[in-house]
Each structure stands twice: as structure tokens, then as C-alpha cells.
């Protein structure tokens, strides 16, 4: 069993510099219970978890099927800390053995990921053989992978079969003209494709794969590299699109453009963003998406807490000499994980109680702001559980500082009746918009890009960020955000147009 020192979850063990991290608790506080449970011990998906839990990347995927102008893969490098770099490429059997050794020595380890040095799904046999071995011998570890998305639709079923619960897709653009400046070529259907055509194929595959993963309940994080002058302004639209399609988290990372790394962008003088530019873009994207702000842009063979790399302690030679009791090690990990999560749950409960007290004091004062009428896509009126395009009716509520009042329901023909006609029912959408003309917010579990834009143009703010949450607290949170941003100082849009 873990020693008392090991089981001290109140003292986070992290290699990150605090200045690079955002709030470690706010994100989890705002999630529903089911998602919180899935990310609470994943250091790459939770800013809170990265202070307590470790991760490991195994370098079993050397080949890549696209070329990025910001990437130069290295397979025997120990002195660079960036994606695409490893000290040694492993076979699946070596990766399983090394993972078991690391997980025995570092009981905080909760996640095993495959992130290169090439692309996990350009090396499917090695990737899934590794997952098969670990599913059998270390079933307590979360399995995740990162991919450029080119082959993602082909392997979504297999990803689900191995219970991979977290997938990261690198999506740098949704405009092929921008993509042509980032990707010189892709390898597709046994041939090299270049230019705009290459980007069109890649973007299509990425979006299709994202939708398929979300449909299977797999959490998706989207990584984007911020490249000033190329995609920096465009990434706001990327964030909006991937959020609408169900991505859980967006990680906007700075371009690493040091010429010493030998990348095309580095050698041609393409600069990376300043910290101020990066933060400004992350803040702008945060209006549509949960943002990851604690990324360390790890090596493809990183070991340990985020911000540290203990890979040198676990070379193949050293691992071969280790004696590992796999069952006992798994017991230690499970016990430590339970203790940490229990401690963090108590802290979250205390924060919620404090927030409730603040709200109570706030409500005792004269009520600020004005009433906001909202439409809710919900099957029962209690939980936001319905896609905008699938709703047969909308619950209409009015929200003030004092609470939420139900006003009734309004019928709505389904905008999206299936794959064949999804997005084509313009008349249906127009009628729905007319029936909701007095509403300022649309709360739904999901919504497509086209109706999102039409709602915004009609003065109705679409909001899918509270999917599967209870209606009343979600609506109150949206109202509070509108108040704090000054949106309630003016009359509703439909009154200003009258």
C-alpha cells in the first residue's frame, strides 16, 4: 500500500510553472458530474489534475502521413523538449513493459498516451497492439491518443473497442487556403497529395472524425498551433466550429519556430506569437470554448508530471533490470487515485458552498440587471439534453437575479430530420426563428454551424456549453455572465428593432 507521504493529496506535486497555468479549479467546477468524473485525474484534460497526476507518452508511432511546416521529427534526441522528438522508438512489447515499470515507480500515473513521434493512426498496428497489452495488464490506466485526424474516421470503431476515452486532434484550420500554407503534403490513398487539395482532404477527415468520436461519447480535445499572420485570426472560427461539433476542450499552443529545430517555418523566419498575443487569442476563443492553458508541449516520450521529464530514469536498459509486481503496483495506483480524488471532491464541495453563500448575499441586495428570456431544447424541461436541430418544441423561461420562471413551451418543426436533409430545411428554420423572436438565448445540447449563424444573425445567442446540465442553474449562470459582461445594460435586441 502507499506510504503516508505518498498518500498526501493535499500537496500537489507538479513541475509546471504557475505563471503558465490558468485557474486550476474553475473548469471542473463548471462541468457536469459525469464529465468531471472522466477528466478529474487526467492531467492533460484538467488544469486541476495536472498538479496531482502524472502521464506517460510511449513512442511507438514513428511514421507520419502528413508534413507540417512547423514539425521536424527526431528519433534519437535527448536534449530538445517539444512534440515530435524522442530518445528512442519502441515496439509495442517494449512500450507495454516500459509503461508497467513507470506506473510501478510513479503511483500518481493515471494516463498512457500515444502521441508520436509521427501519428498514432499512421501506425495503427503498433498503436493498437500497445493498447491491447495495457488493457490486459494495467486496466486502471486511462488510454488516450493524439492524431492529425487524416485516418481518424477509419479507426474510430477500433478506438472505441479499446475503451480509449480521450482523443486529441490537431486542427489548425478549417479553410483549405490557410491549410495550404501549413501543410505541404499529405499521403492519401497511396499517393502524395499537395497544395489546397491536400488541405481539403485533411480538413474533411478531421471534421468527420471529430463528429464520429463525439457520437460515441469519446471526449475530444482539439490542439491548434497559433501561427501569426497565417491562422491566428482564423483560430477563433476553428474554436467555434469544433465546440459546436462537440469538442470538449481547445488547446491553442504557440508556434515553436527556433531555427535550431530545423523546421520549415523556423528556417524561413516565421515568428511565433508573443505571450500577450497567445493569451489574447485564448481569451477570445474562451467565449465559445473551454480553453486549456496549462499545456507544456511535451515530447512524444514524456514521463512524469506535466512540466517535468523523468524519461532518463526509464531507458530500455534500465527497465530490463527492474523487478515489477504489476498487481501490487496497480493496487497502489488505485488507492492513491481514490485518496486524491476524494480530497479534491471535498475542495470542490467547499468552493460550491462558498459560491452559494456569495449568491445568497447577492440576492439579499436589490436585484441587478433585467429579465432575459431564453429558449431551452430539452425533452423534459429539467435538463438541457436535446440537439437544436432535433427539438420538437422549446421550453421558454425568463431569468432574473431572483431565479428562473417557466413561461411554457413553443412548438418547433425539426430542423434536422436526418443525414439526408440536415441543414437544408431553410423554411423550417425561418419559422423557428420567428417563433423565438423575443428570446435572447438558446440553450441546447448541440447545434450545427449553419443554424448557429442564423440564430446569431437574428439576435439570439446559441449556447451549447451546458449540455446535460440542469436547466435552472445553467440558465442562471448564463444570465450572470451576461450581467457581468454588460450585456444587460441595453434593452433586448427585439425591442431595439421594434
Amino acid at each position: 500500500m502507499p506510504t503516508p507521504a505518498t498518500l498526501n493529496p493535499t500537496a500537489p506535486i507538479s513541475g509546471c510553472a504557475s505563471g503558465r497555468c490558468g485557474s486550476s479549479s474553475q473548469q471542473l467546477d463548471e462541468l457536469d458530474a459525469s464529465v468531471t468524473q472522466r477528466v478529474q485525474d487526467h492531467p492533460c484534460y484538467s488544469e486541476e489534475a495536472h498538479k496531482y497526476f502524472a502521464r506517460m507518452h510511449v513512442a511507438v508511432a514513428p511514421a507520419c502521413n502528413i508534413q507540417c511546416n512547423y514539425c521536424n521529427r527526431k528519433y534519437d534526441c535527448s536534449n530538445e523538449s517539444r512534440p515530435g522528438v524522442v530518445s528512442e522508438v519502441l515496439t509495442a512489447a517494449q512500450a507495454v513493459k516500459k509503461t508497467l515499470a513507470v506506473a510501478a515507480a510513479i503511483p500518481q500515473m493515471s494516463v498512457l498516451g500515444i502521441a508520436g513521434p509521427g501519428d498514432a493512426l499512421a501506425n495503427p498496428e503498433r498503436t493498437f497492439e500497445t493498447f491491447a497489452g495495457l488493457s490486459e495488464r494495467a486496466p486502471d490506466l486511462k488510454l488516450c491518443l493524439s492524431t492529425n485526424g487524416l485516418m481518424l474516421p477509419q479507426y474510430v470503431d477500433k478506438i472505441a473497442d479499446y475503451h480509449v476515452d480521450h482523443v486529441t486532434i490537431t486542427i489548425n484550420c478549417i479553410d483549405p487556403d490557410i491549410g495550404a500554407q501549413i501543410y505541404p503534403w499529405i499521403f492519401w490513398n497511396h499517393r502524395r497529395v499537395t497544395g489546397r487539395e491536400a488541405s481539403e482532404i485533411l480538413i474533411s477527415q478531421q471534421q468527420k472524425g471529430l463528429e464520429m468520436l463525439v457520437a460515441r461519447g469519446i471526449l475530444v480535445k482539439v490542439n491548434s498551433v497559433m501561427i501569426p499572420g497565417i491562422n491566428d485570426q482564423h483560430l477563433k472560427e476553428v474554436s467555434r466550429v469544433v465546440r459546436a461539433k462537440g469538442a470538449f476542450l481547445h488547446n491553442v499552443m504557440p508556434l515553436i519556430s527556433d531555427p535550431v529545430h530545423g523546421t520549415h517555418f523556423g528556417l524561413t523566419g516565421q515568428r511565433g506569437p508573443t505571450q500577450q498575443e497567445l493569451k489574447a487569442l485564448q481569451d477570445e476563443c474562451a467565449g465559445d470554448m473551454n480553453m486549456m492553458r496549462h499545456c507544456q508541449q511535451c515530447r512524444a516520450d514524456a514521463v512524469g508530471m506535466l512540466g517535468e521529464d523523468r524519461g532518463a530514469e526509464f531507458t530500455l536498459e534500465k527497465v530490463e533490470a527492474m523487478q515489477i509486481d504489476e498487481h501490487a503496483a496497480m493496487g497502489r495506483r488505485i488507492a492513491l487515485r481514490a485518496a486524491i480524488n476524494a480530497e479534491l471532491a471535498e475542495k470542490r464541495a467547499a468552493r460550491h458552498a462558498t459560491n452559494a453563500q456569495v449568491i445568497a448575499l447577492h440576492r439579499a441586495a436589490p436585484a441587478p440587471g433585467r429579465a432575459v428570456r431564453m429558449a431551452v431544447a430539452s425533452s423534459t424541461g429539467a435538463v438541457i439534453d436535446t440537439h437544436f436541430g432535433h427539438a420538437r418544441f422549446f421550453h421558454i423561461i425568463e431569468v432574473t437575479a431572483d431565479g428562473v420562471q417557466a413561461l411554457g413551451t413553443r412548438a418547433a418543426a425539426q430542423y434536422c430530420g436526418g443525414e439526408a436533409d440536415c441543414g437544408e430545411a431553410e423554411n423550417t428554420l425561418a419559422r423557428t426563428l420567428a417563433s423565438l423572436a423575443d428570446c435572447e438565448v438558446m440553450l441546447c445540447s448541440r447545434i450545427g454551424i449553419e443554424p448557429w449563424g442564423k440564430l446569431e444573425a437574428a439576435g439570439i445567442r446559441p449556447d451549447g456549453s451546458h449540455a446535460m446540465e440542469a436547466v435552472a442553474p445553467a440558465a442562471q449562470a448564463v444570465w450572470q455572465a451576461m450581467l457581468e459582461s454588460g450585456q444587460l445594460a441595453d434593452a433586448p435586441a427585439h425591442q431595439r428593432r421594434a
Side-chain angles (χ1 to χ4, degrees), residues 179-227:
Q181 302 175 64
I182 301 172
Y183 309 107
W185 57 261
I186 67 171
F187 194 74
W188 177 250
N189 286 342
H190 309 291
R191 67 184 182 97
R192 182 172 292 198
V193 184
T194 61
R196 194 179 193 278
E197 181 187 0
S199 294
E200 286 178 336
I201 294 169
L202 178 60
I203 291 167
S204 175
Q205 290 291 99
Q206 290 171 337
Q207 297 301 313
K208 182 178 179 181
L210 167 59
E211 293 167 0
M212 292 173 69
L213 289 171
V214 171
R216 285 160 175 76
I218 297 171
L219 291 178
V220 179
K221 172 168 70 75
V222 169
N223 281 354
S224 298
V225 179
M226 180 183 178
I227 310 167

Side-chain angles (χ1 to χ4, degrees), residues 226-283:
M226 180 183 178
I227 310 167
I230 294 181
N231 73 343
D232 48 344
Q233 296 304 310
H234 177 63
L235 285 179
K236 290 177 284 188
E237 179 67 9
V238 171
S239 192
R240 189 169 78 93
V241 168
V242 299
R243 174 65 185 91
K245 291 192 174 184
F248 160 74
L249 190 64
H250 193 189
N251 175 27
V252 177
M253 307 176 293
L255 171 70
I256 299 174
S257 58
D258 190 332
V260 73
H261 299 320
T263 68
H264 174 80
F265 279 153
L267 296 174
T268 56
Q270 170 64 52
R271 73 174 181 88
T274 65
Q275 284 297 315
Q276 292 78 10
E277 289 172 332
L278 178 65
K279 183 180 184 301
L281 178 59
Q282 290 174 332
D283 289 345

Side-chain angles (χ1 to χ4, degrees), residues 370-421:
R370 59 170 175 78
V372 175
R373 189 160 295 182
M374 303 183 187
V376 185
S378 170
S379 60
T380 64
V383 176
I384 304 168
D385 61 0
T386 303
H387 188 301
F388 171 81
H390 299 164
R392 296 184 181 278
F393 53 85
F394 298 102
H395 295 268
I396 308 301
I397 59 176
E398 192 162 85
V399 188
T400 66
D402 296 324
V404 178
Q405 179 183 4
L407 301 180
T409 61
R410 293 179 189 172
Q414 288 179 288
Y415 173 68
C416 178
E419 223 175 88
D421 64 356

Side-chain angles (χ1 to χ4, degrees), residues 95-96 99-100 112 129-139 141 143:
V96 171
T99 300
L100 294 173
L112 182 283
E129 186 180 344
T130 302
F131 285 158
L134 291 171
S135 295
E136 179 180 348
R137 298 175 66 178
L141 296 179
L143 302 177

Side-chain angles (χ1 to χ4, degrees), residues 249-331:
L249 190 64
H250 193 189
N251 175 27
V252 177
M253 307 176 293
L255 171 70
I256 299 174
S257 58
D258 190 332
V260 73
H261 299 320
T263 68
H264 174 80
F265 279 153
L267 296 174
T268 56
Q270 170 64 52
R271 73 174 181 88
T274 65
Q275 284 297 315
Q276 292 78 10
E277 289 172 332
L278 178 65
K279 183 180 184 301
L281 178 59
Q282 290 174 332
D283 289 345
E284 288 186 84
C285 292
D288 293 314
M289 186 68 157
N290 293 320
M291 297 300 296
M292 178 179 179
R293 299 176 188 260
H294 63 284
C295 178
Q296 305 296 307
Q297 292 182 281
C298 304
R299 290 167 56 101
D301 58 0
V303 174
M305 312 295 287
L306 264 66
E308 70 176 8
D309 187 3
R310 296 177 57 181
E313 301 173 34
F314 301 97
T315 62
L316 286 178
E317 183 179 0
K318 292 178 180 178
V319 168
E320 288 294 337
M322 295 179 182
Q323 299 296 318
I324 304 168
D325 185 335
E326 298 175 19
H327 183 75
M330 183 164 61

